Amino acid sequence: MPMLPEIEERWSAQGYTSKDIGKDTLHRVLDAARQSPSAKNRQEWRFVVATKADLRRKLADAAFGQEQVASAPVIIAACTTNIDYRMPNGQLSYPIDLAVSVAFMMLQARHDGVDSCAVTTFNELDVKDLLSVPHAMRVVSLVTLGYAADERPPRERKSLQDIVGYEHW
Ligand SMILES: Cc1cc2nc3c(=O)[nH]c(=O)nc-3n(C[C@H](O)[C@H](O)[C@H](O)COP(=O)(O)O)c2cc1C
């Protein structure tokens, strides 16, 4: 059984062409986040979409000028609406919930032929101010979307043998 092509073919774009991704794809990407799983199905999230050029420029500045943020036609900020909920294992649920939603968005984007990158290198306070995110909430990740300007580099990963243990660590 082959691997999902979206998993095989997704990679983190480092710069985009000016071609827009289209409303239908954007809708499907956001719906992928909506349909992703969350702890106790609490869905404590909000996704803020930036498409206007001046706002995207300022977000790129908040992301320390990263080229892929500067050139992306669409930037989605994946935010939590609850920073307190802990799961029975004692861990906060929102970083995991939001990370899963980001993965779903990137895979749906790939399915639609659109490239993406998760971006966490940013000044969170600046991003909050730009997108009017309440200061008590957190911006977990930005997701840039568009058509990559460059070729995909070779994928570098550890082997399964290096990262998997059966029945013990
Ligand atoms: C949590 C997280 C944060 C990341 N932050 C950034 C970032 O700020 N800027 C960036 O260019 N790439 C970022 N990336 C992309 C990773 O660098 C990339 O996934 C990794 O190098 C593997 O490459 P690939 O996605 O092309 O397979 C991030 C990825 C993850 C999962």
Side-chain angles (χ1 to χ4, degrees):
M1 188 87 102
M3 180 77 81
L4 283 182
E6 291 79 4
I7 292 176
E8 294 265 23
E9 292 160 15
R10 183 215 57 82
W11 60 285
S12 294
Q14 294 295 300
Y16 297 97
T17 69
S18 56
K19 186 178 171 193
D20 205 353
I21 67 167
K23 281 195 168 62
D24 287 350
T25 289
L26 176 57
H27 181 268
R28 276 191 289 275
V29 166
L30 292 166
D31 210 28
R34 183 181 72 85
Q35 298 203 39
S36 66
S38 60
K40 288 255 175 82
N41 197 23
R42 290 166 61 92
Q43 306 168 65
E44 303 263 30
W45 45 38
R46 188 158 181 88
F47 301 90
V48 186
V49 184
T51 57
K52 293 199 170 135
D54 59 334
L55 183 54
R56 290 187 285 113
R57 175 70 258 164
K58 289 174 185 163
L59 283 170
D61 292 342
F64 308 106
Q66 288 182 79
E67 169 56 22
Q68 123 248 159
V69 182
S71 57
V74 175
I75 303 165
I76 299 173
C79 311
T80 182
T81 56
N82 181 310
I83 59 169
D84 297 321
Y85 178 67
R86 284 182 189 273
M87 302 173 288
N89 66 6
Q91 296 176 20
L92 284 167
S93 73
Y94 79 81
I96 299 173
D97 293 340
L98 269 299
V100 173
S101 76
V102 166
F104 271 50
M105 286 194 280
M106 293 195 296
L107 291 177
Q108 181 62 46
R110 189 59 260 155
H111 186 74
D112 280 36
V114 165
D115 298 299
S116 65
C117 188
V119 173
T120 57
T121 306
F122 56 79
N123 180 313
E124 190 184 2
L125 262 186
D126 288 349
V127 171
K128 283 180 180 174
D129 286 342
L130 287 167
L131 300 176
S132 63
V133 175
H135 277 204
M137 300 292 99
R138 302 299 305 259
V139 181
V140 175
S141 180
L142 302 177
V143 181
T144 59
L145 295 166
Y147 293 92
D150 299 314
E151 295 290 303
R152 172 187 174 170
R155 177 170 281 174
E156 291 175 14
R157 291 293 192 268
K158 295 176 182 175
S159 68
L160 269 182
Q161 202 183 345
D162 282 344
I163 63 168
V164 177
Y166 289 97
E167 326 309 344
H168 65 83
W169 174 270

